[in-house]
Amino acid sequence: MQIISVNLGLPREVLWKGKTVTTGIFKEPVEGRVMMRSLNLDGDRQADLSVHGGKDKAVYAYPLEHYDYWRRKLPDMDLPWGMFGENLTTVGLLEDEINIGVHEVCAIALSLPNR
């Protein structure tokens, strides 16, 4: 497992289906170290804490392997890391191969490259 990109973003208002909504889906890759806290990463926030964030959903990882699928489905769309709202873009960490828990979170934190 490797972390390809660390992505952060703050909630913002957007127009969706004729209504203004607040979303934290927009994440952008960042350079350097980022502190992982119990509720999120420094510099990142979630908009709807009833379904995102909190101690059980503080950091969202998404596999690079899934980007290949979306690039085939959306060939004309730019898909930068963080496009799917993930904090960590990973490789070799697929959902059907792991059980999320304390050990995996520690492994992810320890595997962040020194920059």
Side-chain angles (χ1 to χ4, degrees):
M1 192 286 294
Q2 182 180 7
I3 295 174
I4 302 302
S5 182
V6 177
N7 313 296
L8 307 175
L10 298 175
R12 64 173 101 161
E13 290 184 345
V14 298
L15 191 60
W16 186 69
K17 295 187 177 183
K19 295 184 178 182
T20 300
V21 297
T22 304
T23 179
I25 191 83
F26 300 105
K27 310 292 184 193
E28 295 183 14
V30 297
E31 294 293 325
R33 294 177 181 217
V34 176
M35 179 65 83
M36 183 185 296
R37 308 265 181 204
S38 59
L39 297 179
N40 54 30
L41 299 173
D42 281 355
D44 188 70
R45 297 290 181 272
Q46 301 84 20
D48 184 351
L49 297 178
S50 70
V51 293
H52 302 288
K55 66 182 182 75
D56 294 324
K57 300 173 277 186
V59 178
Y60 171 41
Y62 192 73
L64 169 141
E65 292 87 346
H66 294 334
Y67 273 82
D68 295 337
Y69 168 85
W70 289 111
R71 285 193 176 104
R72 287 190 305 276
K73 291 289 186 184
L74 305 167
D76 297 327
M77 189 170 189
D78 184 31
L79 299 176
W81 306 137
M83 178 67 177
F84 299 103
E86 75 271 19
N87 298 114
L88 305 175
T89 309
T90 63
V91 65
L93 187 66
L94 296 172
E95 302 90 340
D96 61 350
E97 298 172 354
I98 63 166
N99 293 311
I100 296 297
V102 173
H103 294 96
E104 286 76 13
V105 171
C106 290
I108 289 170
L110 294 173
S111 68
L112 289 172
N114 292 328
R115 298 184 204 189

